[in-house]
Amino acid sequence: MNTLAIDIGGTKLAAALINDEHKIFQRTEISTPANAAPQALEQALARLVDVYQGQAQRVAVASTGIIDKGILTALNPDNLGGLNHFPLQATVEKLTGLPCVVLNDAQAAAWAEYCYLSAQFKHVTFITVSTGVGGGVVVNGELLTGPYAFAGHIGHIQADPNGPLCGCGRVGCVEAIASGRAIAAAAGHELEGKNTREIFAQAQSGNAQAQQLMTRSAQAICQLIANIKALLDTECIVLGGSVGLAQGYRQQVEQQLAQSPAAFQVPIYAAHYQHDAGLMGAALWSENHSA
Ligand SMILES: [Zn+2]
C-alpha cells in the first residue's frame, strides 16, 4: 500500500509516495501560494496531487498551523497569510477521492522521530528551531495532540515576561527569542540585514555579537528543555530545524543544560529525519490512525 504524504509549509508544499517499507519516492515540491485566499491553496494542492492519481490508497497531510478536527487555522497571522478555518481534510479528500488524515507538521515530525527511537524510549519530546520554534510530545508511546490540537506548541511557552512580542500575540515566547526570525531581528550593526545562516557563519569565525545571539537562542532552548523535563519527565529530546541542527548549536544547549541540577538533565539527539520529517511522520501516523 502506498500513502500519498503531503507537507504544507509557509514557503513550500511537498508531496511524496511512501510505501509499506517506509521508502519515500516521487517527491515533488511547489511554492506555497503567496495569496492567502482559500481558493489559492486549494488550486495549489490540486496541482500537487494531480501527478499521483491512481498511485496511492490513502493520504496523510502534515501542515503548519493548528489542525483541529481536519480544519487548519494559523496561530501566527503572518504564517500562511492568516489563512483561517481552512477545511484541509475535506479539501484533500475531495481532490483525491481517498481517505485522509491531517496533523500539525511539528507533531508529525515528533511522531517520526519517536518511531525511529521507539525501541529505546517511550517518552520523547521533539523541538524544531527554525524560522519559528515548534515541537511535539510523545508520552508513553502516544502522540499528545490535545482536545483542541494545541498540545506541543512549545515555541509559545514564555521565556521572558519582558521579552519581545511574539507573532502569536503573546509577549516573550521562546519563539520570539530563539527562532531564526528572532535571531535575525535582534541583529544590529555589522550583522543588520543578515539571515540566520550568515549570522551563524559569523559566529563560527569569532564575531562576538553573532556568538551572543546564538548563545541567547541556545539559552532559551535550554530553559525550555528543563521546563519540559519538569513537566513531562521526558526521556530524551530530539532537536531539529535549520537552527537546531546548525554546527555547534546542540552542543551549546547541552553545555548549558549540564549546568542545571541533575533532575533537569536529559539526553539531546539530533533529528534523524530532516526535511522529510513532516511527510514521514504523517505517513507513519496514518498507519494507525486512518478512518
Ligand atoms: Zn508566541
Side-chain angles (χ1 to χ4, degrees):
M1 181 189 258
N2 289 334
T3 302
L4 170 57
I6 300 173
D7 190 353
I8 301 176
T11 56
K12 60 182 191 295
L13 308 178
L17 293 170
I18 297 182
N19 68 14
D20 287 336
E21 283 81 51
H22 303 139
K23 293 277 174 287
I24 298 186
F25 56 107
Q26 273 184 253
R27 194 183 199 283
T28 57
E29 235 175 67
I30 58 174
S31 294
T32 303
N35 177 350
Q39 297 88 330
L41 182 57
E42 181 168 348
Q43 282 165 11
L45 286 168
R47 205 148 53 86
L48 190 69
V49 301
D50 193 45
V51 293
Y52 299 101
Q53 292 238 344
Q55 297 186 67
Q57 288 72 50
R58 65 178 169 221
V59 188
V61 184
S63 175
T64 184
I66 298 170
I67 318 296
D68 188 14
K69 298 166 191 74
I71 309 286
L72 162 65
T73 299
L75 174 65
N76 180 345
D78 294 339
N79 293 342
L80 295 176
L83 193 72
N84 261 336
H85 305 292
F86 179 77
L88 182 58
Q89 183 175 359
T91 301
V92 174
E93 285 181 346
K94 184 183 77 178
L95 290 172
T96 59
L98 296 171
C100 171
V101 298
V102 292
L103 191 65
N104 166 268
D105 53 359
Q107 290 174 345
W111 186 247
E113 298 295 345
Y114 163 71
C115 290
Y116 182 70
L117 295 169
S118 62
Q120 282 172 274
F121 301 114
K122 290 287 167 240
H123 304 262
V124 175
T125 301
F126 171 69
I127 302 174
T128 174
V129 189
S130 184
T131 311
V133 176
V137 174
V138 174
V139 175
N140 207 17
E142 292 283 338
L143 179 69
L144 208 61
T145 53
Y148 304 102
F150 194 47
H153 280 74
I154 50 188
H156 302 286
I157 288 175
Q158 197 175 49
D160 178 2
N162 301 309
L165 184 67
C166 181
C168 73
R170 207 171 172 224
V171 165
C173 293
V174 171
E175 175 164 298
I177 293 165
S179 68
R181 197 188 280 136
I183 291 167
H189 305 291
E190 76 279 10
L191 299 180
E192 201 167 336
K194 295 202 183 299
N195 64 32
T196 320
R197 190 187 303 263
E198 292 163 337
I199 293 169
F200 278 20
Q202 291 284 319
Q204 293 293 334
S205 54
N207 179 289
Q209 191 205 162
Q211 286 173 348
Q212 232 166 31
L213 288 168
M214 194 169 168
T215 299
R216 178 169 169 261
S217 167
Q219 267 165 355
I221 297 301
C222 168
Q223 294 308 319
L224 174 66
I225 290 171
N227 290 343
I228 290 168
K229 182 71 168 67
L231 181 68
L232 299 169
D233 198 16
T234 199
E235 289 173 291
C236 78
I237 297 287
V238 177
L239 190 58
S242 56
V243 173
L245 295 170
Q247 198 190 346
Y249 187 90
R250 182 168 59 94
Q251 289 72 12
Q252 274 215 31
V253 176
E254 282 174 339
Q255 281 163 14
Q256 291 173 19
L257 190 62
Q259 294 161 30
S260 302
F264 296 92
Q265 295 191 21
V266 55
I268 306 171
Y269 295 93
H272 174 73
Y273 297 103
Q274 300 187 4
H275 61 297
D276 289 330
L279 293 172
M280 184 57 87
L284 289 167
W285 175 254
S286 72
E287 290 178 3
N288 301 325
H289 298 84
S290 286

